Amino acid sequence: MKKIVVIGSLNMDLVTEVDHLVKPGETLSALSFSALPGGKGANQAAAAGKLGADVHMVGKIGADDYGDTLLNSLKQANVAADGILIENNGSPTGMAFIQVSRTGENSIVLVNGSNNNFRPHDLDAIRGVIEQGEIIILQLEIPFETVVMAIDLAKELGKKVILNPAPARSLPDELLKKIDLIIPNEIELETLTGLPAKTEDNIYTAADRLLASGAGKVIVTAGDRGCYYVGGGTREHIPPEKVKAVDTTAAGDSFIGAMAAGLSEGLAERKAIDLAVKAAAVTVTRKGAQPSLPDRGEVEDYFSGKTL
């Protein structure tokens, strides 16, 4: 099994359930509140770890109770924390304030905290962890210069690089050329390319723009429309599994972690996408970020009678 290294954010998700997403100027009473482990980096690591992959997390947390909670959650998901640095300068662990509506829609406000202090020089301290990995996963919730240096290091070491370009921002072609697999959602695809991504034709056109800019392959996640796989002569729409969504908070992270887990055990990319679609489908039937991520048995049980 190939080792996975996830370089990215760790957040405590402070989640309020609401009747509907709050509108500008509106005051709304919450239906419930919970504090749950999250952060796109940690979520993707936990998703892969719960599915049986050998995963190491790289990032930074504060020396506080939220940081301890995040470490414990990763441990329970079978994720090695040997690449996580702990700040002792009073900077808090990252937080995300999340609203989840009755229909499963969500909105998120990030407080970066220690994630924002994960700087390029910090990579020197955990270079050995990165060297162990064969699949490197990154997002954009840590400083961009750290992402760039981490990708440069990964390519220097001959690793497979997977990028989830979230939060959405434009990326230079010289960086895209170093990415083997980029996995944006529709909004992120529009931001990356400056093109619309409302229809299937739009998505293929925008994905082709990424390929022309140098990215290896593109998978566009499109919520209840499934995903689109483009590159290497392939243009395919993969439909979603039909489930009743309760909370979509970690659906994309579940997809990416499961995709990497499948690749780490030797599945072809197309087969790994099938696993990712199923894992994401189970995730949205449950509340929270990391608590909603399924293990392999739960995925197989949920889709019993179907072939993974």
Side-chain angles (χ1 to χ4, degrees):
M1 182 178 290
K2 296 178 180 178
K3 291 186 178 181
I4 299 169
V5 174
V6 181
I7 303 172
S9 57
L10 302 99
N11 290 322
M12 182 59 70
D13 290 345
L14 307 176
V15 183
T16 52
E17 289 187 275
V18 291
D19 180 72
H20 57 271
L21 299 186
V22 68
K23 301 171 185 175
E26 180 182 20
T27 299
L28 192 64
S29 294
L31 303 174
S32 70
F33 170 81
S34 54
L36 302 168
K40 295 193 74 62
N43 289 347
Q44 291 168 21
K50 284 182 137 183
L51 291 169
D54 182 356
V55 190
H56 297 250
M57 181 71 208
V58 170
K60 185 173 277 192
I61 58 174
D64 51 33
D65 290 345
Y66 284 163
D68 291 342
T69 300
L70 289 171
L71 289 177
N72 289 333
S73 180
L74 289 174
K75 182 179 179 180
Q76 291 171 14
N78 302 311
V79 175
D82 48 344
I84 297 177
L85 303 174
I86 301 175
E87 282 200 305
N88 292 296
N89 61 0
S91 182
T93 295
M95 292 172 279
F97 293 87
I98 302 174
Q99 296 178 58
V100 180
S101 74
R102 288 185 186 272
T103 59
E105 293 180 303
N106 68 75
S107 66
I108 303 173
V109 176
L110 290 175
V111 177
N112 288 319
S114 293
N115 292 311
N116 205 44
N117 297 331
F118 185 38
R119 297 294 174 176
H121 65 81
D122 289 317
L123 294 171
D124 293 336
I126 40 77
R127 180 185 174 108
V129 177
I130 298 172
E131 288 175 341
Q132 294 177 42
E134 295 174 78
I135 299 171
I136 310 297
I137 305 174
L138 302 105
Q139 321 78 34
L140 301 176
E141 285 186 343
I142 58 175
F144 185 63
E145 59 267 28
T146 306
V147 173
V148 171
M149 183 166 286
I151 290 174
D152 286 344
L153 176 59
K155 296 314 292 182
E156 173 191 324
L157 295 170
K159 312 301 184 182
K160 182 180 181 69
V161 175
I162 298 174
L163 177 67
N164 172 217
R169 61 163 292 162
S170 61
L171 297 174
D173 288 358
E174 56 265 29
L175 187 67
L176 288 170
K177 292 173 183 176
K178 299 172 185 175
I179 297 166
D180 298 293
L181 177 61
I182 188 166
I183 309 179
N185 64 21
E186 296 154 291
I187 293 172
E188 291 151 6
L189 182 64
E190 290 183 343
T191 302
L192 284 167
T193 63
L195 297 173
K198 303 292 189 296
T199 68
E200 183 169 307
D201 286 343
N202 287 163
I203 288 171
Y204 286 135
T205 298
D208 286 341
R209 171 72 61 85
L210 285 182
L211 296 176
S213 296
K217 292 183 181 177
V218 183
I219 299 174
V220 182
T221 56
D224 60 7
R225 294 164 62 194
C227 66
Y228 298 83
Y229 179 42
V230 185
T234 297
R235 295 166 73 89
E236 183 179 359
H237 172 236
I238 296 96
E241 295 288 348
K242 299 298 184 182
V243 297
K244 180 177 175 58
V246 172
D247 180 1
T248 62
T249 301
D253 296 332
S254 179
F255 182 99
I256 291 164
M259 179 80 194
L263 294 174
S264 76
E265 62 190 55
L267 293 183
E269 283 186 348
R270 182 61 183 81
K271 290 294 185 183
I273 291 174
D274 288 341
L275 174 61
V277 168
K278 289 177 168 60
V282 176
T283 297
V284 302
T285 66
R286 308 193 286 203
K287 295 180 181 180
Q290 287 174 40
S292 72
L293 300 171
D295 61 33
R296 196 58 166 265
E298 290 172 322
V299 173
E300 291 172 352
D301 289 346
Y302 196 95
F303 294 102
S304 57
K306 299 182 180 181
T307 302
L308 276 177

